PDB file of all heavy atoms in Angstrom:
ATOM      1  N   VAL A  25     108.588  20.894 -36.971  1.00 98.00           N
ATOM      2  CA  VAL A  25     107.539  19.982 -37.166  1.00 98.00           C
ATOM      3  C   VAL A  25     106.884  20.188 -38.558  1.00 98.00           C
ATOM      4  O   VAL A  25     106.629  19.211 -39.285  1.00 98.00           O
ATOM      5  CB  VAL A  25     106.480  20.088 -36.058  1.00 98.00           C
ATOM      6  CG1 VAL A  25     105.222  19.262 -36.380  1.00 98.00           C
ATOM      7  CG2 VAL A  25     107.022  19.658 -34.712  1.00 98.00           C
ATOM      8  N   ALA A  31     108.215  17.351 -45.424  1.00 97.00           N
ATOM      9  CA  ALA A  31     109.227  16.566 -46.111  1.00 97.00           C
ATOM     10  C   ALA A  31     108.831  15.067 -46.160  1.00 97.00           C
ATOM     11  O   ALA A  31     109.199  14.381 -47.127  1.00 97.00           O
ATOM     12  CB  ALA A  31     110.569  16.729 -45.315  1.00 97.00           C
ATOM     13  N   ALA A  88     106.228  13.347 -37.201  1.00 98.00           N
ATOM     14  CA  ALA A  88     107.294  14.338 -37.017  1.00 98.00           C
ATOM     15  C   ALA A  88     107.550  14.617 -35.549  1.00 98.00           C
ATOM     16  O   ALA A  88     108.671  14.683 -35.080  1.00 98.00           O
ATOM     17  CB  ALA A  88     106.959  15.618 -37.744  1.00 98.00           C
ATOM     18  N   ALA A  98     114.737   7.859 -37.704  1.00 97.00           N
ATOM     19  CA  ALA A  98     114.713   8.582 -38.964  1.00 97.00           C
ATOM     20  C   ALA A  98     114.518   7.649 -40.153  1.00 97.00           C
ATOM     21  O   ALA A  98     114.017   8.080 -41.205  1.00 97.00           O
ATOM     22  CB  ALA A  98     115.981   9.380 -39.132  1.00 97.00           C
ATOM     23  N   GLU A 106     104.494   3.483 -47.809  1.00 95.00           N
ATOM     24  CA  GLU A 106     105.247   2.433 -48.460  1.00 95.00           C
ATOM     25  C   GLU A 106     104.889   1.080 -47.825  1.00 95.00           C
ATOM     26  O   GLU A 106     104.534   1.029 -46.612  1.00 95.00           O
ATOM     27  CB  GLU A 106     106.781   2.665 -48.312  1.00 95.00           C
ATOM     28  CG  GLU A 106     107.684   1.693 -49.008  1.00 95.00           C
ATOM     29  CD  GLU A 106     109.108   2.026 -48.758  1.00 95.00           C
ATOM     30  OE1 GLU A 106     109.590   1.897 -47.646  1.00 95.00           O
ATOM     31  OE2 GLU A 106     109.773   2.462 -49.734  1.00 95.00           O
ATOM     32  N   THR A 156      94.391   8.276 -14.496  1.00 90.00           N
ATOM     33  CA  THR A 156      93.579   9.387 -15.012  1.00 90.00           C
ATOM     34  C   THR A 156      94.183   9.985 -16.224  1.00 90.00           C
ATOM     35  O   THR A 156      95.354   9.648 -16.591  1.00 90.00           O
ATOM     36  CB  THR A 156      93.417  10.462 -13.926  1.00 90.00           C
ATOM     37  OG1 THR A 156      94.764  10.999 -13.614  1.00 90.00           O
ATOM     38  CG2 THR A 156      92.778   9.965 -12.672  1.00 90.00           C
ATOM     39  N   ASP A 401      83.075 -25.560 -21.194  1.00 96.00           N
ATOM     40  CA  ASP A 401      81.751 -26.222 -21.133  1.00 96.00           C
ATOM     41  C   ASP A 401      81.241 -26.096 -19.704  1.00 96.00           C
ATOM     42  O   ASP A 401      81.907 -26.522 -18.771  1.00 96.00           O
ATOM     43  CB  ASP A 401      81.847 -27.700 -21.537  1.00 96.00           C
ATOM     44  CG  ASP A 401      80.567 -28.443 -21.727  1.00 96.00           C
ATOM     45  OD1 ASP A 401      79.526 -27.844 -21.303  1.00 96.00           O
ATOM     46  OD2 ASP A 401      80.584 -29.541 -22.205  1.00 96.00           O
ATOM     47  N   GLY A 637      81.279 -26.978 -37.540  1.00 98.00           N
ATOM     48  CA  GLY A 637      80.147 -27.779 -37.942  1.00 98.00           C
ATOM     49  C   GLY A 637      80.181 -29.194 -37.425  1.00 98.00           C
ATOM     50  O   GLY A 637      81.244 -29.667 -36.903  1.00 98.00           O
ATOM     51  N   ASP A 659      63.796 -27.721 -39.923  1.00 97.00           N
ATOM     52  CA  ASP A 659      63.247 -28.017 -41.253  1.00 97.00           C
ATOM     53  C   ASP A 659      64.133 -29.022 -41.976  1.00 97.00           C
ATOM     54  O   ASP A 659      63.684 -29.905 -42.702  1.00 97.00           O
ATOM     55  CB  ASP A 659      63.170 -26.729 -42.073  1.00 97.00           C
ATOM     56  CG  ASP A 659      62.301 -25.690 -41.370  1.00 97.00           C
ATOM     57  OD1 ASP A 659      61.030 -25.714 -41.648  1.00 97.00           O
ATOM     58  OD2 ASP A 659      62.820 -24.904 -40.626  1.00 97.00           O
ATOM     59  N   ILE A 706      83.123 -33.710 -41.237  1.00 97.00           N
ATOM     60  CA  ILE A 706      81.738 -33.441 -41.632  1.00 97.00           C
ATOM     61  C   ILE A 706      81.486 -33.616 -43.110  1.00 97.00           C
ATOM     62  O   ILE A 706      80.332 -33.790 -43.577  1.00 97.00           O
ATOM     63  CB  ILE A 706      81.299 -31.981 -41.207  1.00 97.00           C
ATOM     64  CG1 ILE A 706      82.183 -30.948 -41.861  1.00 97.00           C
ATOM     65  CG2 ILE A 706      81.298 -31.884 -39.703  1.00 97.00           C
ATOM     66  CD1 ILE A 706      81.747 -29.472 -41.563  1.00 97.00           C
ATOM     67  N   ARG A 734      83.299 -31.591 -54.697  1.00 96.00           N
ATOM     68  CA  ARG A 734      82.920 -31.436 -56.114  1.00 96.00           C
ATOM     69  C   ARG A 734      81.686 -32.181 -56.452  1.00 96.00           C
ATOM     70  O   ARG A 734      81.655 -33.045 -57.326  1.00 96.00           O
ATOM     71  CB  ARG A 734      84.090 -31.783 -57.031  1.00 96.00           C
ATOM     72  CG  ARG A 734      85.292 -31.010 -56.776  1.00 96.00           C
ATOM     73  CD  ARG A 734      86.439 -31.377 -57.725  1.00 96.00           C
ATOM     74  NE  ARG A 734      87.658 -30.616 -57.448  1.00 96.00           N
ATOM     75  CZ  ARG A 734      88.794 -30.738 -58.133  1.00 96.00           C
ATOM     76  NH1 ARG A 734      88.889 -31.609 -59.104  1.00 96.00           N
ATOM     77  NH2 ARG A 734      89.830 -29.984 -57.818  1.00 96.00           N
ATOM     78  N   GLY A 741      67.932 -20.168 -49.735  1.00 97.00           N
ATOM     79  CA  GLY A 741      68.146 -19.110 -48.786  1.00 97.00           C
ATOM     80  C   GLY A 741      67.275 -17.937 -49.104  1.00 97.00           C
ATOM     81  O   GLY A 741      66.284 -18.067 -49.779  1.00 97.00           O
TER      82      GLY A 741
END
Side-chain angles (χ1 to χ4, degrees):
V25 171
E106 184 181 68
T156 60
D401 187 349
D659 301 271
I706 61 177
R734 300 182 181 181

